[in-house]
């Protein structure tokens, strides 16, 4: 393989860009800049940041602010709310990349713990359009029962245990329309790392055992895992140092180099990396790569992950001090160079909404 490789249109389907009330953690400008620095063409933003994206005014506000600031292409999820916001679904479904449903506790207030309420959301969301779920442990089986009933294409975010992988492998062999995402932190860290990382190693789902981690890698090898998604969720260092630190870690700028380093070590074929960060996520969301949109990566460049080189506003990484090989040299979108290896060259607002009216590449 040559040192300089070209990866077509990378898509991270799971990021928390923050912005608005949480602009101290990250702004749409800073976190989409982090996406470009990480090699990504586009990101899909989660709805749990205040004000949660669960009604048309909150959606319009996010679309407007994100649209004005984004330097990479983007889409947003609508959130399923506890008090039942299904009446909005017909109006919003075409304008978002999917519905996000939180079925276990995490950052924000969108937990839906009741199976009847979950079913109400599955019933109301237009059939054929995607639902992304946060489901951990036994909740995976609860959601699979709904997928079996409604046949809605369902993406299982950040799967982290051997048991969950087994359930989803079986669901796939049964022909259910499910896809599986895993995160770099679950692939490269375990519960043992929490001892040294402290709050910087805290996220939902939590870090798991070595055996669980092995099952995720095995899931990649067997094709059970479709996507590596960063679950980029910045919180400030001050917040992380507080007595009750919030869950979540940044990941946009470290996901690709970590995977390429693993490929170099023979843990997965390099072509598989490209499937996991570009081809599969685009396919799941029905997105065609725009012309002349790609990332140039120098596979010979070995470097240490250091906080001073990061673009994310939170300014830290659970992988600080790690040596990685494979540096993003350039990112091009629609024939324009938008990142030169150090600086973002795109103007605020130049990123496109991939699910805006008339903008979809489907
Ligand atoms: O650790 C997490 N942080 N998990 C999530 O599901 C949400 C995220 C956040 O928004 O901080
Ligand atoms: Zn998340």
């Amino acid at each position: 393989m040559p040192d300089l490789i070209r990866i077509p249109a990378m898509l991270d389907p799971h990021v928390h860009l923050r912005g608005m009330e949480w602009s101290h953690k990250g702004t749409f400008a800073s976190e989409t800049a982090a996406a470009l620095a990480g090699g990504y063409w586009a990101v899909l933003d989660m709805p749990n940041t205040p004000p949660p994206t669960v009604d048309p005014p909150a959606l319009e506000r996010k679309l407007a602010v994100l649209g004005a600031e984004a330097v990479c292409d983007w889409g947003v999820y609508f959130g399923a709310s506890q008090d039942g916001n299904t009446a909005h679904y017909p109006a919003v479904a075409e304008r978002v990349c999917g519905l996000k449903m939180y079925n276990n506790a995490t950052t924000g207030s969108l937990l839906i713990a009741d199976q009847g309420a979950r079913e109400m959301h599955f019933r109301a969301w237009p059939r054929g359009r995607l639902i992304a779920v946060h489901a951990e442990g036994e909740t995976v089986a609860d959601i699979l029962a709904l997928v079996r009933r409604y046949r809605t294409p369902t993406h299982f975010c950040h799967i982290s245990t051997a048991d969950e992988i087994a359930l989803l492998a079986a669901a796939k062999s049964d022909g259910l329309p499910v896809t599986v995402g895993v995160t770099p932190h679950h692939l490269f860290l375990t519960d043992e790392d929490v001892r040294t990382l402290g709050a910087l190693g805290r996220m939902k789902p939590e870090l798991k055992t070595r055996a669980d981690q092995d099952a995720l890698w095995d899931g990649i090898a067997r094709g059970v895992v479709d996507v590596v998604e960063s679950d980029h969720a910045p919180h400030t260092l001050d917040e992380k140092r507080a007595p009750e630190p919030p869950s979540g870690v940044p990941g946009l700028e470290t996901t690709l180099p970590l995977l390429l380093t693993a490929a170099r070590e023979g843990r997965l074929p390099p072509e598989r990396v490209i499937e996991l960060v570009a081809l599969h996520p685009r396919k799941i969301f029905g997105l065609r790569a725009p012309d002349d949109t790609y990332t140039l990566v120098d596979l010979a460049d070995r470097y240490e992950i250091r906080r001073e080189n990061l673009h994310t506003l939170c300014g830290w990484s659970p992988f600080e001090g790690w040596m990685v090989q494979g540096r993003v040299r350039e990112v091009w979108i629609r024939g324009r160079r938008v990142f030169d290896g150090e600086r973002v060259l795109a103007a605020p607002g130049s990123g496109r909404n991939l699910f805006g009216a008339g903008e979809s590449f489907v």
Side-chain angles (χ1 to χ4, degrees):
M1 203 176 243
D3 283 345
L4 207 58
I5 60 158
R6 192 172 153 132
I7 306 180
M10 285 170 53
L11 170 67
D12 189 338
H14 189 151
V15 302
H16 303 260
L17 296 176
R18 313 307 194 194
M20 302 177 296
E21 269 84 325
W22 276 5
S23 294
H24 65 288
K25 298 177 196 271
T27 65
F28 292 130
S30 67
E31 304 317 290
T32 54
L36 290 182
Y40 289 98
W41 150 60
V43 292
L44 303 180
D45 184 53
M46 289 293 172
N48 63 326
T49 289
T53 321
V54 294
D55 54 39
L59 176 64
E60 292 311 324
R61 179 167 166 210
K62 186 185 267 193
L63 294 178
V65 188
L66 184 44
E69 291 187 25
V71 290
C72 68
D73 287 0
W74 53 276
V76 305
Y77 289 88
F78 199 66
S81 85
Q82 222 167 15
D83 51 5
N85 56 346
T86 53
H88 302 308
Y89 288 177
V92 301
E94 299 283 320
R95 312 194 57 208
V96 298
C97 62
L99 178 73
K100 175 69 185 282
M101 201 158 109
Y102 289 90
N103 303 286
N104 300 95
T106 188
T107 310
S109 55
L110 298 180
L111 170 66
I112 299 177
D114 176 71
Q115 183 72 356
R118 292 170 185 159
E119 174 152 12
M120 178 185 74
H121 288 287
F122 262 80
R123 201 184 306 123
W125 189 246
R127 235 41 67 74
R129 294 197 71 90
L130 182 134
I131 299 184
V133 291
H134 180 139
E136 298 186 41
E138 285 162 15
T139 311
V140 169
D142 295 338
I143 301 300
L144 283 173
L146 297 175
V147 181
R148 208 173 281 281
R149 190 163 307 151
Y150 292 95
R151 300 275 152 178
T152 306
T154 303
H155 179 69
F156 285 76
C157 301
H158 46 46
I159 285 305
S160 64
T161 72
D163 288 351
E164 294 163 4
I165 288 281
L167 278 174
L168 287 159
K172 283 189 162 192
S173 3
D174 284 355
L176 293 187
V178 297
T179 51
V180 175
V182 299
T183 72
H185 39 272
H186 294 111
L187 286 174
F188 292 96
L189 300 170
T190 67
D191 50 2
E192 287 168 31
D193 292 298
V194 182
R195 262 184 261 149
T196 42
L197 286 170
L200 302 189
R202 295 265 174 217
M203 74 295 288
K204 299 281 187 195
E206 289 170 7
L207 293 175
K208 299 296 187 328
T209 65
R210 176 81 54 190
D212 288 315
Q213 187 183 55
D214 289 345
L216 303 185
W217 283 100
D218 188 51
I220 288 180
R222 288 159 53 213
V224 179
V225 172
D226 300 283
V227 166
V228 174
E229 52 195 25
S230 73
D231 199 2
H232 179 81
H235 296 285
T236 67
L237 276 172
D238 280 350
E239 290 168 331
K240 282 293 203 180
R241 288 186 189 119
E244 304 244 338
S247 296
V249 295
L252 274 167
E253 293 166 89
T254 45
T255 301
L256 180 64
L258 285 167
L259 287 173
L260 291 173
T261 307
R264 179 156 209 99
E265 291 164 354
R267 302 186 75 181
L268 76 173
E271 310 78 55
R272 196 90 180 93
V273 174
I274 296 174
E275 286 173 6
L276 292 165
V277 299
L279 307 185
H280 289 172
R282 272 195 266 124
K283 186 163 174 223
I284 290 167
F285 287 87
L287 295 168
R288 189 173 64 72
D291 291 340
D292 301 319
T293 298
Y294 55 87
T295 297
L296 290 180
V297 179
D298 184 351
L299 291 179
D301 197 337
R302 196 171 148 76
Y303 64 99
E304 185 184 333
I305 295 172
R306 300 166 73 113
R307 65 175 62 175
E308 57 267 33
N309 297 330
L310 298 173
H311 290 70
T312 176
L313 191 64
C314 76
W316 60 274
S317 162
F319 299 106
E320 276 175 72
W322 285 46
M323 290 301 296
V324 286
Q325 183 154 348
R327 188 191 287 275
V328 175
R329 280 274 167 242
E330 294 183 356
V331 180
W332 291 72
I333 299 181
R334 289 179 286 276
R336 290 198 160 184
R337 195 164 62 131
V338 289
F339 180 69
D340 70 0
E342 283 179 17
R343 285 166 309 134
V344 167
L345 309 173
S350 58
R352 280 199 198 165
N353 178 2
L354 300 171
F355 299 86
E359 299 255 6
S360 175
F361 291 97
V362 178

